[in-house]
Amino acid sequence: MSTIRLGDTAPNFDAETTEGKINFYDYLGDSWGILFSHPSDYTPVCTTELGTVANYKPEFDKRNTKVIALSIDDMESHKGWVKDIEETQEVKLNYPIIADEDKNVSNLYGMIHPNEDNKATVRSVFIISPDKKVKLTLTYPPSTGRNFEEILRVIDSLQLTAYHKVATPANWKHGEEVVISPAVSNEDAKGLFPKGYKEVKPYLRMTPQPNLD
Ligand code: BEZ
């Protein structure tokens, strides 16, 4: 079983989806990407998750992020279940679901955890940057639906810290103070962060989020 670690190149693949055959890299293009698996179609938690992601599509679009879901159910199952998601979650499904019947993608990404369930994927999430590097991995158990607000929060942090020499503290949300990277000297910090910074400790320096007016 494959183990994907942060900084690895996200494996490319071809797959059948509810929106036709795709090549993963072509699907992502220059965008950020979220690949997430669910255990099974026609199950309650998964139904709420896939509906929630469809409802959040405008938020993913704002962040130049494409989403794609996966389970090892077949296409007929996916297509029937999509109708239930749309009916019960009051949303139009607006992203593809991979029908990974042969487990090709699940195995590439290590989404099947045999000691949990050897016949289904767990709730995995991979966030992938435009250069196709894996920036976040998450694994949730079948019984716990994911918090997609948290996924959006991480994308905000990843996109901010990719371009500014900062990191985001515990429970940070877009618009709040950030921490200056320890590698930045006080001298350089004055130039890099014209809004100023507060030195709580020499290694803990807070500054307003730099990419806001
Ligand atoms: C669910 O989506 O509700 C679910 C799926 C697999 C195991 C437990 C719950």
Side-chain angles (χ1 to χ4, degrees):
M1 192 190 76
S2 152
T3 306
I4 299 217
R5 286 174 284 207
L6 300 190
D8 289 356
T9 299
N12 194 17
F13 55 82
D14 294 311
E16 300 288 347
T17 83
T18 46
E19 295 184 5
K21 204 171 166 69
I22 62 133
N23 172 271
F24 188 45
Y25 279 14
D26 290 346
Y27 172 70
L28 294 178
D30 294 330
S31 302
W32 289 69
I34 297 179
L35 169 64
F36 71 106
S37 59
H38 62 274
S40 182
D41 295 354
Y42 295 104
T43 49
V45 177
C46 300
T47 302
T48 62
E49 285 194 324
L50 272 78
T52 298
V53 171
N55 271 310
Y56 279 23
K57 177 84 171 7
E59 293 301 321
F60 292 119
D61 288 346
K62 262 194 244 167
R63 293 162 176 83
N64 186 29
T65 300
K66 292 201 165 169
V67 293
I68 185 163
L70 172 150
S71 77
I72 60 170
D73 297 284
D74 63 29
M75 192 65 71
E76 198 186 320
S77 166
H78 279 351
K79 288 197 167 156
W81 182 44
V82 163
K83 291 189 201 129
D84 283 6
I85 298 171
E86 293 184 339
E87 179 195 324
T88 62
Q89 309 303 303
E90 298 178 354
V91 71
K92 186 106 191 94
L93 235 283
N94 43 23
Y95 57 90
I97 310 174
I98 297 169
D100 193 36
E101 263 189 286
D102 63 4
K103 303 185 179 138
N104 174 43
V105 183
S106 313
N107 287 332
L108 265 179
Y109 279 82
M111 292 165 163
I112 296 175
H113 295 207
N115 292 328
E116 174 65 38
D117 184 341
N118 64 6
K119 290 189 294 299
T121 43
V122 291
R123 299 188 196 280
S124 300
V125 182
F126 297 89
I127 298 184
I128 297 160
S129 53
D131 60 358
K132 310 294 183 288
K133 297 296 180 199
V134 174
K135 293 294 184 183
L136 168 135
T137 66
L138 268 183
T139 309
Y140 270 47
S143 53
T144 305
R146 285 157 286 197
N147 183 337
F148 289 94
E149 287 287 339
E150 169 62 2
I151 308 288
L152 289 173
R153 192 189 77 87
V154 177
I155 294 172
D156 285 341
S157 172
L158 286 168
Q159 294 184 344
L160 174 69
T161 59
Y163 302 109
H164 298 273
K165 290 182 175 167
V166 297
T168 59
N171 291 348
W172 173 86
K173 288 198 291 297
H174 181 76
E176 295 179 353
E177 279 191 324
V178 298
V179 301
I180 297 174
S181 301
V184 176
S185 68
N186 281 346
E187 199 48 48
D188 289 347
K190 284 180 199 137
L192 286 170
F193 304 105
K195 291 175 199 161
Y197 66 89
K198 190 170 61 214
E199 185 175 303
V200 184
K201 290 279 179 193
Y203 58 85
L204 177 57
R205 296 165 297 171
M206 309 298 298
T207 190
Q209 183 174 325
N211 62 345
L212 298 178
D213 293 333

